[in-house]
Amino acid sequence: MESSFVQRIERIDYYYTVVPNKVGAGAGVFKALKAKGVNLLAFNGFPLSAKSSQLDLLPSSGDALVAAAQKAGIKLVGPKVAFLVSEWEHLGGVADILSKLEEAGVNVTAMQAIDTGDWRYGAVIWVKQHNIGKAAKALGIS
């Protein structure tokens, strides 16, 4: 018998930019977004090579992000779609989500999850864009 818990999974648009892999390159992007009042719900940054890194930006407003990036000369790719999870923690919560995707034959490209305190966690799940509909259906949000 499953315990009762509160879970919210939603599609979220994200954009990405590629920056040089050097001191201050990412900070410059965030300073420009802050100056224009852009609110990010999540962010993921990772190296692409020794010379460049990718910054995935998940904004509360895609329009605000795009406008701020244009004014700052930041080249964005997107929108693309990921899934944003907000849940009261329960043992195996991430395993349950990943199992649903596995059963649907959807490979997870990347996932970031973090405890946010007060027995809650948040996560972002990336899948190949051609699998968005299949993943949404598996997660019960299609």
Side-chain angles (χ1 to χ4, degrees):
M1 181 174 173
E2 270 188 47
S3 62
S4 143
F5 60 92
V6 177
Q7 177 185 69
R8 188 176 82 203
I9 302 176
E10 58 188 299
R11 293 175 193 236
I12 184 168
D13 285 343
Y14 77 94
Y15 301 76
Y16 73 85
T17 189
V18 175
V19 297
N21 196 2
K22 66 179 188 176
V23 173
V29 170
F30 288 102
K31 287 178 192 174
L33 299 180
K34 178 182 177 184
K36 296 297 181 188
V38 174
N39 181 47
L40 295 177
L41 300 174
F43 153 77
N44 187 36
F46 54 92
L48 292 172
S49 70
K51 295 184 178 187
S52 64
S53 293
Q54 180 171 316
L55 308 178
D56 288 355
L57 308 166
L58 293 84
S60 59
S61 167
D63 291 341
L65 174 64
V66 169
Q70 285 175 341
K71 287 184 181 177
I74 299 166
K75 182 182 175 195
L76 294 177
V77 176
K80 293 181 170 260
V81 176
F83 297 95
L84 183 64
V85 179
S86 176
E87 182 173 311
W88 289 101
E89 287 184 30
H90 70 281
L91 184 60
V94 169
D96 293 346
I97 290 169
L98 293 177
S99 292
K100 289 177 184 177
L101 294 170
E102 175 190 21
E103 289 168 12
V106 175
N107 187 46
V108 173
T109 302
M111 181 175 185
Q112 301 291 322
I114 188 165
D115 182 321
T116 61
D118 294 328
W119 291 96
R120 293 181 56 90
Y121 80 92
V124 179
I125 303 168
W126 289 265
V127 302
K128 297 287 184 198
Q129 294 301 289
H130 68 270
N131 281 330
I132 293 294
K134 193 177 187 182
K137 184 175 179 182
L139 297 171
I141 62 168
S142 52

